[in-house]
């Protein structure tokens, strides 16, 4: 009997899991739900059938697999082409043929690959990295050159690609994959993260007139929960496209206090359906709401506001 379906996306560093069986499956501690989908990223654990069968997601080059796994991989591609079901004891995969293949392994006691395509240049760059880019925050947390503040519960780092003059990330040492994993027991930690974010604004912002927002991306691209502390000037060469802008100026950006309230009242965070579409919304000034056709024109418009004080 089929339990879940998997569909991997190498470029986004995630695998979409759909529960098709009646027995509960979950990602970390978050239940997926019958006929519901959830994304799982490297480092998270997929539990099948009431947490009896744990699996981890790992992205690996096909060339790194041993000969036996390669043979099994080829056999499955031949037998199960066009399928992506995951029965109780075996995994059937979706096949996409190309000149350069990258495999995603769902590993427990055995490893079964999911095939992907990737350009040679991208593969060469990723060989230089430890793990997938979506796991980069975990490495940055330990980089003393990026750390701005730390205590026994959280660490604050400079965003590697800041979208404003001031842009920090507050991360807990505790392993929490995303907003979906938050529960009532995390409330005190979230309050501490918020307090540390406010301390950053007070201690490091050069001008008391600088406006900040503290919040979370509703659907973050990076694994490990992180609170953004970002000034509202958006004066940064790293802010390059509509997705960057809308992720901080629409309801895609969840205010920290709103997240605290949701966890306090409901024991979890709910993301509205269709939130991902907000990234495609027209470019609008976050101050006067005037629509701008391009990012360069938007930035020129923002400077006009800044010159007026």
């Amino acid at each position: 009997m089929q339990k879940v379906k998997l569909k991997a996306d190498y470029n986004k560093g995630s695998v979409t899991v759909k529960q098709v069986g009646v027995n509960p499956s979950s990602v970390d501690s978050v239940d997926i739900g019958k006929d519901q989908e959830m994304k799982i990223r490297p480092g998270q654990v997929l539990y099948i059938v009431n947490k009896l069968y744990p699996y981890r997601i790992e992205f690996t080059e096909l060339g790194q697999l041993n000969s036996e796994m390669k043979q099994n991989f080829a056999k499955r591609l031949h037998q199960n082409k066009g399928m992506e079901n995951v029965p109780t004891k075996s995994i059937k995969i979706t096949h996409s043929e190309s000149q350069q293949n990258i495999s995603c392994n769902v590993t427990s006691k055995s490893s079964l690959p999911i095939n992907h395509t990737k350009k040679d240049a991208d593969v060469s760059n990723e060989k230089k990295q430890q793990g997938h880019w979506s796991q980069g925050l975990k490495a940055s947390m330990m980089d003393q050159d990026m750390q701005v503040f730390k205590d026994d519960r959280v660490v604050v780092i400079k965003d590697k690609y800041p979208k404003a003059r001031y842009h920090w990330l507050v991360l807990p040492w505790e392993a929490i994959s995303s907003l979906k994993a938050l529960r009532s027991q995390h409330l005190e930690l979230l309050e501490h993260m918020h307090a540390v974010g406010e301390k950053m604004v007070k201690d490091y912002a050069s001008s008391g007139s600088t406006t900040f927002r503290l919040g979370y991306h509703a659907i973050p691209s990076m694994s490990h929960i992180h609170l953004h502390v970002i000034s509202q000037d958006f004066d940064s060469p790293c802010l390059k496209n509509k997705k960057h802008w809308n992720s901080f100026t629409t309801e895609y950006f969840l205010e920290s206090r709103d997240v605290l309230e949701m966890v306090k009242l409901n024991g979890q965070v709910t993301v509205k359906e269709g939130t991902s579409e907000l990234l495609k919304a027209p470019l609008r000034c976050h101050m006067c709401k005037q629509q701008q056709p391009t990012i360069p024109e938007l930035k020129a418009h923002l400077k006009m506001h800044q010159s007026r004080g």
Side-chain angles (χ1 to χ4, degrees), residues 179-183 218-219 251 254 258-259 261-263 265-273 275:
L179 291 178
K180 288 184 177 180
L182 291 174
R183 292 295 181 266
I219 310 173
E251 291 183 357
L254 303 178
D258 291 340
V259 169
E261 192 67 15
M262 278 191 278
V263 175
L265 294 177
N266 307 318
Q268 62 182 6
V269 175
T270 302
V271 176
K272 295 180 181 178
E273 185 176 351
T275 295

Side-chain angles (χ1 to χ4, degrees), residues 70-265:
K70 288 181 182 178
Q71 291 175 2
N72 291 336
F73 178 58
K75 182 178 179 180
R76 288 183 182 280
L77 292 182
H78 177 72
Q79 295 177 343
N80 306 316
K81 186 174 181 180
M83 302 182 69
E84 56 184 9
N85 301 329
V86 185
T88 306
K89 295 183 179 180
S90 63
I91 297 177
K92 299 180 180 180
I93 60 177
T94 300
H95 178 214
S96 177
E97 296 179 345
S98 68
Q99 293 181 346
Q100 177 64 50
N101 295 321
I102 298 294
S103 68
C104 165
N105 300 325
V106 182
T107 60
S108 180
K109 292 183 179 179
S110 61
S111 298
L112 300 168
I114 296 176
N115 189 35
H116 295 270
T117 63
K118 192 91 172 149
K119 294 180 180 179
D120 290 347
D122 293 335
V123 174
S124 176
N125 288 336
E126 288 179 0
K127 284 181 180 178
K128 300 176 183 179
Q129 301 176 5
Q130 293 184 345
H132 193 272
W133 60 266
S134 64
Q135 301 296 300
L137 288 179
K138 295 179 181 179
S140 297
M141 289 172 65
M142 309 307 296
D143 186 345
Q144 294 186 3
D145 291 335
M146 296 187 67
Q147 293 176 354
V148 181
F149 170 87
K150 64 181 177 180
D151 59 20
D152 61 340
R153 305 191 72 182
V154 302
V155 60
V156 181
I157 63 173
K158 296 176 286 187
D159 193 291
K160 189 175 292 187
Y161 304 102
K163 303 303 186 292
R165 293 175 192 168
Y166 300 95
H167 190 180
W168 302 292
L169 305 178
V170 183
L171 304 101
W173 294 115
E174 180 180 347
I176 304 174
S177 59
S178 67
L179 291 178
K180 288 184 177 180
L182 291 174
R183 292 295 181 266
S184 298
Q185 63 264 30
H186 297 123
L187 182 60
E188 185 179 354
L189 175 61
L190 293 173
E191 290 173 340
H192 182 67
M193 291 170 65
H194 184 90
V196 170
E198 290 186 325
K199 173 179 172 60
M200 295 299 302
V201 174
K202 180 179 179 181
D203 292 351
Y204 289 87
S206 61
S207 171
S209 61
T210 303
T211 302
F212 282 81
R213 289 182 73 192
L214 281 66
Y216 302 85
H217 283 151
I219 310 173
S221 58
M222 303 290 285
S223 180
H224 197 80
I225 193 168
H226 50 285
L227 171 66
H228 291 269
V229 181
I230 184 168
S231 58
Q232 297 301 286
D233 51 81
F234 294 108
D235 183 9
S236 170
C238 296
L239 197 155
K240 299 179 178 180
N241 56 49
K242 180 185 290 188
K243 180 179 178 181
H244 292 162
W245 177 256
N246 285 331
S247 69
F248 287 100
T249 60
T250 68
E251 291 183 357
Y252 192 92
F253 189 78
L254 303 178
E255 292 281 353
S256 176
R257 292 193 182 280
D258 291 340
V259 169
L260 286 171
E261 192 67 15
M262 278 191 278
V263 175
K264 184 176 181 180
L265 294 177

